[in-house]
Amino acid sequence: MSDPTPLFDTALIRRRLARARAGGYASFLMERVLDDFEDRLAAVTRPFPLALDLVSPVPALAERLRAGGRVERLVRLSPLPEAEADCVGDAEALPFAASAGFDLAVSALALQHVNDLPGVLVQLRRALKPDGLFLGCLLGGATLTELRQAFLQAESETEGGVSPRVAPFAELRDLGGLLQRAGFALPVVDADTIRVRYGDPFALMRDLRAMGLTNALTDRRRTPLRRATLMRAAAIYAERFSDADGRLRATFEVLWVSGWVPHESQQKPLRPGTAKTRLAEALGTAEHRIIPDTGETR
């Protein structure tokens, strides 16, 4: 049986990221998540002798960790050749042994473009040492919802059909389960919604190009976008998603995930039936018993 067609064109993603970095990477979103990385890691009161930056699109996260003093040695796995990189590679084929012994692994705004996220998480968990921490963020399903809706309506009106133009990003409700399936303990997931405002939709499109985030779906339409469709999408965007001052909203949903490699020192849930205090006592309420078949309480 042949392998299924990958969702993303990985080689194209690299080429577009290289073009974005060569032309001046649009860093506003990255700068926002870097501040959040520092805040989240500040809650973990331990040093990290050996850390891994997993294919973050630019080296800014690695630079901050190296300068912060919490990491003794940081290995950067970069998606592109660069002076700061220790190695160049792909998140779906980590060039590390299962016993690499990383104390910390981080990834910023990269994992939304992998074809096998469960497989990446399994490899990552194996590369971390017991009680090692993974902390990452990726774009979520609400990202660019305005642009997606505008193009869907425009293509339907002008071409009588639609084509995939915005990637199907991950959903928050799925990520905790993926972490557990990969073998992580104490998984935590949460979302941060960032809204950016633009003068027109074309400024948003220029920023997406400058972040390497333009359409890289394998099943994307290969013919050029029709001018009529583009202009209609821009008009719909302005009609439906403008604020009172005429500026347009663009949503970026950042999903945060963290998990620990299991270790005997970690907290564990109590076995069912072993609690020493009733929930009603903790809440300061009366406890009622439901009588079977009648639904009455006592």
Side-chain angles (χ1 to χ4, degrees):
M1 176 180 267
S2 60
D3 293 334
T5 302
L7 182 62
F8 297 105
D9 185 335
T10 304
L12 179 62
I13 290 171
R14 289 198 191 96
R15 291 197 300 272
R16 289 185 172 170
L17 177 58
R19 180 185 65 189
R21 289 177 53 169
Y25 186 81
S27 62
F28 66 93
L29 198 59
M30 181 63 71
E31 291 296 328
R32 168 67 178 266
V33 303
L34 292 185
D35 291 339
D36 289 344
F37 262 105
E38 291 185 338
D39 291 342
R40 290 166 186 266
L41 285 174
V44 183
T45 57
R46 67 164 69 176
F48 300 106
L50 181 61
L52 168 67
D53 176 7
L54 181 66
V55 296
S56 299
V58 291
L61 177 56
E63 292 168 357
R64 284 215 191 184
L65 290 177
R66 285 172 175 147
R70 298 281 304 281
V71 172
E72 295 179 18
R73 182 182 172 223
L74 186 138
V75 175
R76 171 156 164 76
L77 175 62
S78 173
L80 298 172
E82 61 185 31
E84 298 86 351
D86 298 274
C87 48
V88 177
D90 188 339
E92 297 184 71
L94 295 187
F96 309 111
S99 56
F102 290 103
D103 302 277
L104 171 69
V106 294
S107 183
L109 302 179
L111 298 183
Q112 68 272 358
H113 283 152
V114 300
N115 288 298
D116 181 15
L117 183 56
V120 170
L121 293 175
V122 168
Q123 292 183 67
L124 194 56
R125 192 259 302 161
R126 291 172 178 167
L128 285 160
K129 67 192 306 183
D131 209 26
L133 170 64
F134 166 56
L135 174 63
C137 67
L138 62 158
L139 295 176
T143 297
L144 301 177
T145 181
E146 302 89 352
L147 188 65
R148 181 186 296 113
Q149 293 178 52
F151 266 112
L152 283 174
Q153 183 176 336
E155 282 196 309
S156 179
E157 291 179 6
T158 62
E159 303 184 34
V162 298
S163 61
R165 293 195 177 275
V166 179
F169 298 111
E171 297 292 341
L172 181 67
R173 62 178 178 270
D174 300 325
L175 290 177
L178 291 180
L179 286 168
Q180 289 180 316
R181 282 174 50 194
F184 283 97
L186 308 175
V188 176
V189 298
D190 63 271
D192 181 21
T193 299
I194 302 169
R195 289 192 171 87
V196 184
R197 302 205 310 153
Y198 290 92
D200 58 67
F202 304 107
L204 167 61
M205 295 176 196
R206 287 192 294 270
D207 269 357
L208 295 177
R209 182 183 176 92
M211 288 188 282
L213 292 180
T214 49
N215 187 3
L217 292 168
T218 301
D219 290 336
R220 66 192 180 280
R221 180 179 290 184
R222 305 306 173 105
T223 56
L225 176 64
R226 294 183 183 178
R227 177 177 174 80
T229 301
L230 176 61
M231 300 308 295
R232 180 57 184 145
I236 293 168
Y237 202 123
E239 291 166 5
R240 297 181 57 183
F241 302 109
S242 62
D243 292 331
D245 60 0
R247 294 184 67 81
L248 309 181
R249 303 182 299 276
T251 298
F252 294 90
E253 183 185 37
V254 178
L255 305 183
W256 287 91
V257 297
S258 67
W260 297 81
V261 176
H263 187 265
E264 60 183 10
S265 66
Q266 294 169 357
Q267 295 179 349
K268 297 177 178 59
L270 294 173
R271 295 190 307 275
T274 61
K276 295 182 174 61
T277 304
R278 295 197 304 273
L279 179 60
E281 294 177 1
L283 298 176
T285 61
E287 185 174 20
H288 300 281
R289 181 169 61 88
I290 298 177
I291 302 174
D293 301 326
T294 67
E296 298 179 1
T297 61
R298 289 182 182 173

